[in-house]
Amino acid sequence: MKKQDQNELKDLLKDMPKPDVSKQKRTEIHHAIMNSNKSFPFKKFTAIFGAVAAGCLFFLLIFSFINTNNQQAAIHTYNDIVKGEVSAIKGATEDSLYSSSDQKIIDNFHETIGAMDYKKTTQESSVFEKTITLYNNDNDKVTTMTFTGENIVTIDGKQYKIDENQLNQFTSQFFTEKYKTNTEKKPSLKEQANKVLTLLTNENMEALANQVHSEKGLLFSPYVYVKSSTVTFSQNEITKLLEDNNVYEWGSQDGSGKPIKLTPSEYFDEYVNASYFSNADEVNVNNLKNRGTMLNNIREVFPKAQTVEFYQNGKEELAWESLTLVFEDVDGSRKLVAIVHGEWTS
């Protein structure tokens, strides 16, 4: 091809529409056309160039459009993946607890997490883990999000790839000292129940008060059928409870129906007696059992409770006793709401 013809071809290529591909790809197309026509008569080439080039460019544009749409289809938003209104967020870093029910923090969380692009992937990583659990107003779990190495987030069992800068923004904003709720990991339910049992045995009421629900206080029931009239003390009252010499009516005795009128100290001796359960024959976690003839209604009174029952066989067949500790979650912590005594009833 003559130099003049080459120059005219270059000018023609410059005037063609630019496909939606990279600069490097356009350069490759340009060189391919130029090289393939070095020995081809330019006049003949120009006669068919428009049709051929237009066809190639049309194909490239269509390919680019389809590819762009495929990329967009692979991107998901936070609201696409997570369904349900969130009113509280809880979670954990590697060495501390994290929790918030502050609406401003929750709104900020949604704005930050919602700005990320989520692309489905089968890639997995366990270099590190940062887990967040989302709850609604009824304290029901909405979803769990686990962020791991390689910028992978697992949302309800499905993996998504996320942008590193967005992930860093998120973790630096929420997994900080500001939002730590405790420097120690949350104990298991059984561990916390054993701790409470030890505090009761040692009559360490000040420390026990720290375990008590600040709003609901602590309810004491002499039997597993919890009545609405059962005595309840506030968190502050628990601190000095065994020093209280007032007589309270705690319920009525099974069989005789006589009122149980005792001071707190007397009630503890007869219906708590925590040291008796220090080597319990059974420790039942979240497994309430109906024993004897009396209905156990703890689950009805505390529908969202977590329970630990310390059960002790007696020397005689029907002389068993139990002590059930009832807990509820509040702001990421587990708090004691009831101590329920159980024994054989006729």
Side-chain angles (χ1 to χ4, degrees):
M1 183 183 290
K2 296 179 181 179
K3 186 172 183 61
Q4 181 181 355
D5 292 341
Q6 288 181 340
N7 290 335
E8 291 181 14
L9 179 56
K10 288 180 180 179
D11 291 337
L12 183 60
L13 286 171
K14 288 180 182 178
D15 294 334
M16 293 299 295
K18 303 295 188 297
D20 186 15
V21 294
S22 67
K23 183 178 179 181
Q24 180 181 353
K25 181 59 68 177
R26 291 200 302 269
T27 302
E28 291 175 1
I29 295 170
H30 176 92
H31 287 313
I33 294 174
M34 294 298 296
N35 291 334
S36 66
N37 292 282
K38 285 182 179 179
S39 61
F40 194 78
F42 181 67
K43 290 183 179 179
K44 291 183 179 179
F45 175 78
T46 55
I48 61 172
F49 176 77
V52 174
C56 291
L57 291 173
F58 176 77
F59 172 78
L60 288 170
L61 288 169
I62 292 296
F63 175 81
S64 174
F65 175 77
I66 293 173
N67 187 51
T68 300
N69 278 354
N70 285 342
Q71 287 181 344
Q72 290 176 343
I75 297 174
H76 300 263
T77 66
Y78 167 75
N79 290 329
D80 289 336
I81 302 166
V82 179
K83 307 296 182 183
E85 183 179 352
V86 176
S87 60
I89 50 181
K90 303 174 186 176
T93 64
E94 293 91 333
D95 58 358
S96 66
L97 295 178
Y98 163 84
S99 179
S100 180
S101 56
D102 187 318
Q103 193 59 46
K104 289 183 179 179
I105 295 174
I106 294 168
D107 292 342
N108 196 9
F109 170 89
H110 284 170
E111 182 179 349
T112 305
I113 206 77
M116 295 185 186
D117 291 333
Y118 301 86
K119 300 179 181 179
K120 281 189 177 180
T121 180
T122 57
Q123 184 179 347
E124 296 182 9
S125 174
S126 57
V127 178
F128 62 82
E129 286 191 0
K130 291 181 173 69
T131 298
I132 308 163
T133 307
L134 312 181
Y135 293 84
N136 61 20
N137 282 320
D138 295 325
N139 206 35
D140 297 324
K141 185 175 75 172
V142 174
T143 194
T144 296
M145 310 175 72
T146 300
F147 296 85
T148 66
E150 309 298 335
N151 304 330
I152 303 296
V153 57
T154 301
I155 305 175
D156 294 338
K158 296 181 180 179
Q159 276 79 245
Y160 299 87
K161 188 85 172 178
I162 53 178
D163 180 79
E164 183 176 5
N165 291 331
Q166 291 176 326
L167 175 61
N168 290 340
Q169 177 193 5
F170 173 78
T171 54
S172 63
Q173 186 169 347
F174 291 98
F175 290 97
T176 64
E177 291 288 336
K178 181 178 180 180
Y179 298 128
K180 284 184 179 179
T181 58
N182 204 322
T183 56
E184 297 179 357
K185 289 190 175 181
K186 186 176 181 179
S188 68
L189 177 58
K190 187 176 180 179
E191 288 172 341
Q192 187 168 356
N194 282 326
K195 180 178 181 179
V196 169
L197 190 68
T198 299
L199 295 177
L200 289 168
T201 299
N202 296 334
E203 297 186 350
N204 187 344
M205 303 305 289
E206 189 168 339
L208 179 67
N210 292 330
Q211 298 284 327
V212 173
H213 198 295
S214 60
E215 296 180 4
K216 292 189 174 182
L218 183 58
L219 175 149
F220 291 88
S221 178
Y223 299 107
V224 294
Y225 186 83
V226 181
K227 296 183 178 179
S228 58
S229 59
T230 305
V231 177
T232 300
F233 295 97
S234 70
Q235 186 182 39
N236 290 335
E237 290 174 325
I238 292 297
T239 305
K240 303 291 184 181
L241 185 62
L242 296 183
E243 300 172 22
D244 184 355
N245 292 320
N246 291 314
V247 174
Y248 297 89
E249 186 171 327
W250 306 82
S252 55
Q253 295 177 0
D254 176 66
S256 68
K258 292 181 179 179
I260 301 173
K261 293 185 176 182
L262 301 168
T263 65
S265 180
E266 291 170 339
Y267 180 88
F268 264 59
D269 288 342
E270 189 165 345
Y271 291 100
V272 177
N273 192 16
S275 60
Y276 180 63
F277 300 97
S278 58
N279 293 304
D281 293 314
E282 292 180 24
V283 178
N284 297 304
V285 179
N286 285 327
N287 184 21
L288 294 174
K289 298 182 178 181
N290 278 311
R291 306 178 188 274
T293 58
M294 182 174 287
L295 176 67
N296 185 327
N297 71 337
I298 294 176
R299 187 62 64 194
E300 285 71 31
V301 178
F302 301 99
K304 297 180 181 179
Q306 301 176 63
T307 62
V308 178
E309 180 202 47
F310 296 92
Y311 173 83
Q312 190 78 318
N313 288 316
K315 293 181 180 180
E316 299 177 7
E317 183 180 357
L318 301 180
W320 61 265
E321 284 189 68
S322 67
L323 192 70
T324 302
L325 304 180
V326 184
F327 299 88
E328 285 187 356
D329 282 333
V330 53
D331 294 332
S333 298
R334 193 186 295 114
K335 293 298 183 180
L336 186 68
V337 293
I339 298 176
V340 180
H341 173 263
E343 64 181 35
W344 170 261
T345 55
S346 57

